[in-house]
Amino acid sequence: MNERVFFAGMAGQMGALDAYRSADLEARVCRYLPELMAGLEAVYPEAPAIAARVAEVIGRSLAERPQDLQALDLKRIHTPDWFQEPQMHGYIAYTDRFAGTLKGVGQHIGYLKELGIRYLHLMPLLLPREGENDGGYAVADYRQVRPDLGTMDDLEALCAQLRREGISLCLDLVLNHVAREHPWALAARQGDPKYRGYFYIYPDRTLPDAFERTLPEVFPDFAPGNFTWDDEVQGWVWTTFNSWQWDVNWSNPEVFLEYLELILWLANKGVEVFRLDAIAFTWKRLGTNCQNQPEVHALTQALRAALRIGAPAVAFKAEAIVAPENLIAYLGTGTHYGKVSELAYHNTLMVQIWSSLASRDTRLFTQALQRFPQKPPSTAWATYLRCHDDIGWAISDIDAAAVGLSGPAHRHFLSEFYRGDFPGSFARGMHFQANPTTSDRRTSGSTASLAGLETALESGHPRQISLAMERILLAHAVFIGYGEGIPLIYMGDELGLLNDYGYVHEPAHKDDNRWLHRPKMDWAKAEKRHQQGTVEHRIFHGIKELLEARARIPQMHAAFPTQALWQPNPHLLLLKREHPQGRLVQVYNFSEQDQPFPFEALRQEGIVQPFDLITQTPAPAYLEPYARLWLAQHPV
Ligand code: GLC
């Protein structure tokens, strides 16, 4: 497949093109066709024939791409680092829990802007199956919005409204599975061979058993095993997650073409970032854990190359909660370098923040970051403290051993600590999916409750309350200041919302305690952010101050790397960012005691008169409990 033929295939769907448009699209094809072909060829023997169909899909989509989105495409072509800018701050929310409906979200844009948000991830909002649906991750129709939230027109209108305000909408693209009620699965259930081919269906246990030998279980509590017998299809269906979430078969090129068309269609509604849900699981290989297979990256490369031609304003965010050595491939390694997702979640950073808060010791943190692979400069991490999922205690045994800890013992400690069981623990949380075979116990709980605000408020002790708030702000400072990507604030954390124990009263939620940390927005509490002396005021303004500081510091641009520094005090974390406009060294005190200021460590980095860029004042003589400082030699 050469550029001319591909372009002709595209243009054939588009009607007359003026010279400028033609040149623009030809340039895109020349730039990205090799990446598209390499991706397709790595996976599909019939790559040229598929490419011809890809050209038509892109052409049809371009013909319908609204003018203002085409203008955005052009803007983004000229600002390829748009998602790396220091002003890029994200917010994650459930539409209904945040604002009732999509229209409601539009009415709360002011609140998001007050905080400095430029990126909004609305949790799954496409039509899910009825009843249990894994928080919307079991999609029954990708082209319809959940009716209680609004319509596709509302989504399109909200995207436009957000775009006018400089906020990019991120939407989940669930591409590992569909609901058992999705039309593809319905057709397969009715015996249509075409659609049976969209799934992994086995007549007996031979292959499922062979796969199970090396497959882990994602939800051992409520969905043990990875296959579900289905009477209608008379076979074992691959269901990595829940029995009603059917894994789709990406080795079938029809599946690739379906998703491509869908992504472009949603991009034409104004979606700017797609969160590629559970992407690690999308390729299966016997004898492996069926995660992180090379084909996953080839397919992402092909999808992205097609998007760069058809909707270049759009970026991908990989949701791969996997070990660092596997994770880095989602931002591109080897031949995929710079050609796959622009964004991926930095799970290690999140886990290490919680680990150091519990242990008051940062040696493991420093060790883990030092061993963490460097990302390509054109990409960015999504950094975060909490999200809608549980926390899996992904502490590497190698890192633990390097600082004299036992990996299993430390993981055990963390899960005990964050349930509140460990003596002296400040946390309130719950175990999620305890797995006796692997001794794995994950944790559910909101930021504020895990960080001790719930117990402190109950105690009524002012010092405990103050420490809990400072702890929350320290944790935010670390992932906001980390600098290699977009910090994502999880709805309610900016106000210190506590665990929501009411989830047990909802039949579709009661068995999944991740709902503990998916509270409804409390707008009355939000109002208290204006009232000095309240918890809400302290936390909201503390976070806002961090975001404002970040936005004005050029060193926060995500292209530049962060390095963790060794220094003698085990309570302190020091992070360095090199930048042409000067070096930045961040200092974090993970203990509730004062600590000496690390003058020597800073001197070694050439910072002799440290100036704190958060408060815009000279650095203090000592570090207060949970202090956080972003230090430079000069004000910026
Ligand atoms: C992702 C989501 C999680 C969901 C799973 C299956 O990991 O974050 O909530 O259960 O995918 O879709």
Side-chain angles (χ1 to χ4, degrees):
M1 168 68 60
N2 69 35
E3 286 96 1
R4 296 250 109 245
V5 177
F6 190 91
F7 179 75
M10 241 169 70
Q13 304 293 320
M14 296 185 69
L17 293 174
D18 65 33
Y20 179 80
R21 181 90 173 123
S22 216
D24 170 29
L25 294 179
E26 265 183 67
R28 295 188 206 172
V29 171
C30 288
R31 168 67 181 83
Y32 289 104
L33 185 62
E35 291 183 17
L36 173 69
M37 291 313 295
L40 292 177
E41 280 160 7
V43 179
Y44 303 123
E46 60 279 56
I50 300 165
R53 289 175 63 194
V54 167
E56 288 172 16
V57 171
I58 297 177
R60 276 201 298 279
S61 160
L62 276 168
E64 284 173 4
R65 189 145 172 89
Q67 276 301 326
D68 56 338
L69 290 172
Q70 292 191 33
L72 187 67
D73 288 339
L74 193 61
K75 246 183 165 157
R76 294 272 161 87
I77 288 172
H78 292 291
T79 320
D81 65 341
W82 62 277
F83 59 90
Q84 297 185 303
E85 289 170 348
Q87 301 78 20
M88 204 65 193
H89 304 143
Y91 192 82
I92 314 171
Y94 285 90
T95 303
D96 50 346
R97 302 194 152 234
F98 177 60
T101 60
L102 290 169
K103 286 207 174 90
V105 172
Q107 287 154 14
H108 288 293
I109 291 178
Y111 179 78
L112 298 175
K113 290 198 77 171
E114 187 184 332
L115 205 50
I117 299 304
R118 291 251 316 256
Y119 167 112
L120 175 63
H121 172 199
L122 287 180
M123 297 296 296
L125 51 78
L126 302 178
L127 187 75
R129 74 192 289 274
E130 276 177 27
E132 279 182 280
N133 56 39
D134 190 20
Y137 286 101
V139 181
D141 188 346
Y142 292 98
R143 290 174 201 255
Q144 265 190 70
V145 166
R146 228 173 80 185
D148 59 315
L149 305 179
T151 62
M152 205 32 94
D153 288 344
D154 292 342
L155 180 64
E156 195 170 358
L158 176 64
C159 286
Q161 199 183 346
L162 289 167
R163 198 159 56 244
R164 281 194 297 274
E165 300 286 351
I167 301 176
S168 300
L169 185 85
C170 167
L171 204 66
D172 283 273
L173 183 79
V174 186
L175 42 59
N176 178 67
H177 42 264
V178 297
R180 187 174 177 270
E181 293 72 17
H182 185 280
W184 304 339
L186 285 176
R189 283 161 58 188
Q190 282 153 14
D192 185 332
K194 172 175 173 189
Y195 289 101
R196 276 182 79 101
Y198 278 34
F199 301 98
Y200 296 95
I201 301 172
Y202 303 98
D204 57 41
R205 282 297 305 184
T206 318
L207 273 171
D209 285 343
F211 276 111
E212 283 289 13
R213 275 195 274 283
T214 50
L215 278 177
E217 288 177 316
V218 179
F219 296 142
D221 273 5
F222 46 64
N226 288 277
F227 300 87
T228 306
W229 174 260
D230 196 281
D231 272 341
E232 277 178 68
V233 295
Q234 278 297 301
W236 291 92
V237 183
W238 199 309
T239 55
T240 301
F241 293 88
N242 289 288
S243 57
W244 27 262
Q245 285 165 304
W246 286 21
D247 288 39
V248 292
N249 183 351
W250 279 84
S251 72
N252 180 348
E254 297 302 323
V255 166
F256 176 89
L257 289 161
E258 294 268 17
Y259 274 101
L260 174 63
E261 200 171 325
L262 175 70
I263 298 172
L264 286 166
W265 187 81
L266 288 168
N268 281 357
K269 302 287 171 207
V271 177
E272 295 183 32
V273 180
F274 287 94
R275 174 186 179 277
L276 307 179
D277 180 65
I279 184 172
F281 298 84
T282 48
W283 194 269
K284 327 291 186 194
R285 175 168 282 114
L286 198 61
T288 71
N289 64 358
C290 297
Q291 291 181 41
N292 315 312
Q293 297 301 308
E295 288 81 355
V296 171
H297 308 301
L299 286 167
T300 314
Q301 175 174 319
L303 283 177
R304 176 177 178 271
L307 263 281
R308 301 303 296 169
I309 301 169
V314 167
F316 281 164
K317 177 172 64 170
E319 191 251 342
I321 309 303
V322 300
E325 54 277 22
N326 296 320
L327 174 60
I328 196 70
Y330 291 86
L331 291 183
T333 47
T335 58
H336 303 302
Y337 188 85
K339 300 182 189 137
V340 283
S341 292
E342 283 81 3
L343 296 155
Y345 287 92
H346 200 319
N347 183 56
T348 297
L349 185 73
M350 182 274 288
V351 167
Q352 291 296 337
I353 294 174
W354 288 110
S355 164
S356 287
L357 284 177
S359 65
R360 282 79 161 174
D361 191 314
T362 57
R363 283 172 290 191
L364 179 60
F365 201 154
T366 303
Q367 164 68 25
L369 286 184
Q370 286 217 338
R371 222 169 54 82
F372 201 82
Q374 199 64 65
K375 68 169 184 59
S378 58
T379 61
W381 295 112
T383 63
Y384 62 114
L385 182 60
R386 284 304 285 117
C387 69
H388 69 290
D389 279 328
D390 51 288
I391 305 175
W393 296 111
I395 301 288
S396 122
D397 289 347
I398 299 172
D399 289 334
V403 295
L405 295 174
S406 139
H410 190 62
R411 291 193 289 273
H412 183 82
F413 159 70
L414 291 171
S415 64
E416 293 295 289
F417 188 94
Y418 283 109
R419 191 162 102 156
D421 289 345
F422 194 83
S425 166
F426 47 69
R428 280 282 166 79
M430 286 185 182
H431 286 331
F432 179 72
Q433 305 288 317
N435 187 339
T437 332
T438 57
S439 313
D440 185 32
R441 277 184 317 191
R442 286 129 73 179
T443 296
S444 287
S446 76
T447 288
S449 292
L450 294 178
L453 188 60
E454 191 175 325
T455 44
L457 288 171
E458 266 174 33
S459 78
H461 201 294
R463 179 173 148 80
Q464 295 310 322
I465 297 172
S466 157
L467 281 176
M469 292 192 297
E470 296 308 308
R471 209 176 278 129
I472 291 169
L473 292 175
L474 169 77
H476 276 83
V478 178
F479 82 87
I480 290 172
Y482 187 69
E484 286 189 10
I486 307 183
L488 302 177
I489 310 288
Y490 185 60
M491 190 212 85
D493 285 357
E494 74 280 13
L495 300 167
L497 291 196
L498 304 177
N499 285 340
D500 175 7
Y501 296 97
Y503 77 93
V504 291
H505 304 302
E506 282 219 31
H509 298 169
K510 68 175 184 358
D511 294 328
D512 185 344
N513 70 25
R514 289 177 297 176
W515 289 96
L516 184 64
H517 51 258
R518 298 170 182 175
K520 295 206 174 86
M521 185 54 156
D522 185 335
W523 288 106
K525 262 188 180 227
E527 277 309 300
K528 291 203 201 151
R529 72 188 185 280
H530 302 302
Q531 220 176 301
Q532 287 258 351
T534 60
V535 167
E536 293 76 14
H537 180 272
R538 174 81 191 111
I539 299 180
F540 188 90
H541 288 276
I543 292 176
K544 188 169 148 70
E545 181 186 38
L546 290 166
L547 294 174
E548 279 170 359
R550 184 181 189 277
R552 59 173 184 261
I553 301 177
Q555 283 91 338
M556 291 296 182
H557 191 285
F560 299 91
T562 304
Q563 190 195 340
L565 302 176
W566 284 113
Q567 46 72 48
N569 185 337
H571 304 299
L572 303 188
L573 177 74
L574 265 64
L575 300 179
K576 171 164 85 165
R577 290 184 62 67
E578 292 288 8
H579 188 275
Q581 279 170 259
R583 182 174 288 167
L584 181 70
V585 175
Q586 307 174 4
V587 175
Y588 301 108
N589 175 9
F590 272 81
S591 80
E592 50 263 88
Q593 269 82 46
D594 291 345
Q595 297 294 330
F597 190 90
F599 284 110
E600 186 44 38
L602 281 150
R603 221 188 322 269
Q604 280 176 24
E605 297 302 333
I607 300 184
V608 283
Q609 278 179 318
F611 186 87
D612 177 27
L613 301 182
I614 303 176
T615 54
Q616 309 200 70
T617 55
Y622 68 95
L623 300 173
E624 293 190 347
Y626 297 123
R628 53 263 165 199
L629 301 164
W630 296 346
L631 302 168
Q633 176 67 10
H634 304 287
V636 291

